[in-house]
């Protein structure tokens, strides 16, 4: 009789449910097409200078750790203009479509670029200006020849989240500067530089936990179906919730009343909440012999859970079969 009941419990043990909600985060991954600060714009007249006509980059170091560009060192302005000139700046974003660069709605014109070069509300202040270490000294000099801008080591981190819609693909940012003297006559040279970026939509989902439990109960089950507390004593288990994460520490101890020699069968299914009901999805897994997989390093749950067990050597052969087994984390 006792054995009979245990058998039933074993068969019907479906544990519990966890409820997660997935939200799509609008994020783009930006790849830099080259290792230059800016590249040249082809087929320009002699009066149109490239980035080296504006800046001496000898003391600037560019590294490329993984996908980002990392800068350190100095650059010095070399454009042959006068301190009193009015500098006009423009920035245009083009998209590569059907073999040509097509203008987009993202463009900017500044009739007095120097007045906003270090404006903290401008996008480029976050990208560049805030990393200038001698800002106090240079902030009123703008492009006055011989001005040295010194930088801390920084990554060119472009974050277009929620700023631009539909930006997937290859893009060109074109940057142009023109200088005008006190009679509003244009100086003989201008600066033109481009930067090519490629945007890929990052297929990333943000997961939110609907509650602070390790697992919750499944409603309307017969008495023989136990919840998570029928498997584990969680008294020594701590759950914290810093921001959107669940953070665990402590121990749990197996309490399910079974025998070490029992075979444990496990199934894992994902349901989606659709039109007010939980609908099965394609994601399901049935494991007739769960114990050999419990600490298998190739299983997803090993990364999520198993690798954080501090007394793994001691417990790894006990699986869930030995009531009273203490797992430390
Ligand atoms: C750039 O600056 C370095 C010193 O930092 C100097 O040796 C070099 O001549 C400069 N190049 C130009 C083109 O001004
Ligand atoms: C940047 O300029 C400062 C001051 O002139 C100098 O001490 C430093 O060595 C320069 N950095 C590089 C990487 O050349
Ligand atoms: C759970 O473990 C604690 C000690 O860690 C013990 O005091 C408590 O009685 C246990 N609870 C159950 C239901 O076994
Ligand atoms: C976990 O178990 C170890 C060993 O029994 C004990 O020293 C430690 O205090 C326990 N941790 C918690 C959070 O109860």
């Amino acid at each position: 009789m006792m054995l009979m009941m245990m058998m039933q419990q074993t068969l019907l043990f479906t544990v519990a449910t966890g409820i997660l909600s997935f939200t799509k985060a609008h994020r783009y991954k930006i790849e830099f097409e080259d290792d230059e600060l800016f590249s040249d714009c082809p087929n320009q007249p002699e009066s149109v200078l490239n980035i080296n006509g504006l800046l001496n980059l000898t003391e600037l170091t560019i590294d490329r750790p993984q996908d980002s560009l990392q800068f350190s060192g100095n650059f010095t302005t070399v454009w042959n203009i006068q301190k009193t000139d009015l500098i006009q700046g423009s920035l245009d974003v083009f998209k590569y479509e059907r073999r040509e660069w097509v203008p987009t709605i993202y463009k900017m014109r500044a009739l007095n670029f120097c007045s906003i070069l270090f404006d903290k509300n401008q996008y480029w202040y976050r990208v560049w200006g805030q990393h200038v270490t001698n800002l106090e000294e240079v902030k009123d000099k703008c492009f006055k020849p011989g001005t040295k801008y010194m930088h801390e080591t920084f990554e060119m981190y472009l974050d277009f989240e929620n700023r631009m819609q539909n930006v997937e693909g290859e893009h060109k940012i074109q940057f142009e500067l023109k200088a005008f003297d006190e009679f509003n006559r244009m100086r003989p040279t201008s600066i033109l530089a481009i930067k090519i970026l490629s945007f890929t939509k990052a297929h990333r989902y943000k997961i939110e936990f609907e509650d602070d439990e390790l697992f919750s109960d499944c409603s309307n089950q017969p008495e023989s179906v136990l919840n998570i507390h029928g498997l584990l004593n969680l008294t020594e288990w701590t759950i914290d919730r810093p921001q959107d994460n669940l953070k665990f520490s402590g121990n749990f101890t197996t309490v399910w009343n079974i025998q070490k020699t029992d075979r444990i069968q496990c199934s894992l299914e994902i349901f989606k909440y659709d039109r007010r009901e939980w609908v099965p999805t394609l994601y399901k897994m049935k494991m007739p012999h769960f114990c050999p997989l419990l600490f298998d390093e190739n299983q997803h749950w090993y990364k999520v859970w198993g690798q954080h067990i501090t007394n793994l050597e001691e417990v790894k052969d006990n699986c869930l079969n030995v009531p009273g087994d203490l797992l430390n984390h």
Side-chain angles (χ1 to χ4, degrees):
M1 183 60 194
M2 189 60 208
L3 193 71
M4 218 13 231
M5 269 178 61
M6 245 163 56
M7 279 292 288
Q8 263 177 5
Q9 234 184 30
T10 312
L11 289 171
L12 291 174
F13 192 92
T14 63
V15 201
T17 58
I19 299 180
L20 307 170
S21 88
F22 294 79
T23 5
K24 210 176 210 162
H26 295 286
R27 220 171 227 294
Y28 290 92
K29 187 164 159 256
I30 297 174
E31 275 159 27
F32 299 95
E33 298 278 306
D34 54 58
D35 291 0
E36 305 290 318
L37 180 61
F38 282 102
S39 349
D40 295 0
C41 216
N43 308 321
Q44 299 299 320
E46 249 181 68
S47 62
V48 176
L49 311 178
N50 66 12
I51 192 70
N52 300 308
L54 178 67
L55 305 172
N56 179 336
L57 298 172
T58 317
E59 295 183 347
L60 188 73
T61 309
I62 305 183
D63 280 323
R64 198 172 174 141
Q66 287 161 20
D67 287 338
S68 65
L69 281 181
Q70 189 176 292
F71 299 93
S72 61
N74 317 314
F75 54 64
T76 306
T77 54
V78 294
W79 192 17
N80 186 20
I81 55 163
Q82 296 298 311
K83 186 178 158 44
T84 48
D85 287 358
L86 187 71
I87 314 276
Q88 199 172 297
S90 69
L91 215 137
D92 289 279
V93 179
F94 296 85
K95 183 173 182 174
Y96 199 68
E97 244 171 38
R98 298 195 199 91
R99 304 204 197 170
E100 22 167 25
W101 290 109
V102 182
T104 67
I105 56 167
Y106 304 101
K107 54 186 72 184
M108 208 205 94
R109 302 263 172 282
L111 296 178
N112 185 356
F113 188 52
C114 287
S115 70
I116 55 169
L117 186 60
F118 293 113
D119 180 340
K120 292 190 179 162
N121 299 317
Q122 301 297 334
Y123 186 65
W124 56 81
Y125 183 80
R126 278 204 296 136
V127 176
W128 167 65
Q130 64 164 329
H131 304 292
V132 174
T133 54
N134 62 338
L135 190 59
E136 275 312 302
E137 189 190 314
V138 297
K139 68 171 195 253
D140 298 321
K141 299 196 171 147
C142 198
F143 296 114
K144 181 179 172 238
T147 305
K148 185 185 257 196
Y149 288 89
M150 306 207 279
H151 303 86
E152 61 186 4
T153 302
F154 70 102
E155 268 177 33
M156 192 186 268
Y157 176 68
L158 301 176
D159 173 12
F160 283 93
E161 201 171 346
N162 295 327
R163 267 165 208 281
M164 293 165 91
Q165 307 266 315
N166 187 26
V167 294
E168 244 172 315
E170 204 168 35
H171 286 73
K172 175 171 84 170
I173 297 178
Q174 181 174 298
F175 171 65
E176 186 174 29
L177 290 176
K178 289 175 178 167
F180 296 86
D181 69 11
E182 56 194 310
F183 305 109
N184 204 29
R185 285 180 307 215
M186 200 181 126
R187 293 285 176 195
T189 55
S190 66
I191 308 291
L192 188 64
I194 56 171
K195 180 95 206 135
I196 296 179
L197 307 169
S198 137
F199 294 79
T200 29
K201 214 177 227 155
H203 291 287
R204 261 179 192 236
Y205 289 89
K206 192 166 154 244
I207 298 178
E208 277 160 24
F209 297 95
E210 298 278 309
D211 55 57
D212 291 1
E213 303 291 318
L214 181 61
F215 283 103
S216 342
D217 294 359
C218 221
S219 45
N220 307 320
Q221 299 299 319
E223 248 181 71
S224 61
V225 177
L226 311 178
N227 66 10
I228 191 71
H229 301 288
L231 178 66
L232 302 172
N233 180 338
L234 297 171
T235 316
E236 296 184 346
W237 187 243
T238 310
I239 304 184
D240 278 325
R241 198 169 177 144
Q243 288 159 20
D244 288 339
N245 291 323
L246 284 181
K247 199 173 176 185
F248 302 103
S249 61
N251 317 315
F252 52 63
T253 307
T254 52
V255 294
W256 191 17
N257 186 19
I258 54 166
Q259 297 297 313
K260 187 172 163 48
T261 48
D262 290 355
R263 171 171 68 83
I264 313 255
Q265 186 174 308
C266 177
S267 70
L268 213 132
E269 285 179 63
I270 298 182
F271 294 80
K272 184 176 177 175
Y273 199 68
D274 206 350
R275 299 195 198 94
R276 305 205 197 168
E277 34 170 10
W278 291 107
V279 182
T281 66
L282 286 173
Y283 303 101
K284 56 186 74 180
M285 221 178 139
K286 264 213 163 43
M287 295 155 279
H289 289 277
F290 184 51
C291 284
L293 300 174
L294 186 61
F295 297 116
D296 180 338
E297 293 182 15
N298 300 316
Q299 301 298 332
H300 185 62
W301 56 81
Y302 184 80
K303 275 200 286 157
V304 176
W305 167 63
Q307 65 163 329
H308 304 294
I309 296 176
T310 54
N311 64 338
L312 188 60
E313 275 310 304
E314 193 187 312
V315 298
K316 67 172 195 250
D317 297 322
N318 293 348
C319 191
L320 308 169
N321 296 23
V322 182
D325 203 19
L326 180 75
L327 284 83
N328 303 90
H329 298 80

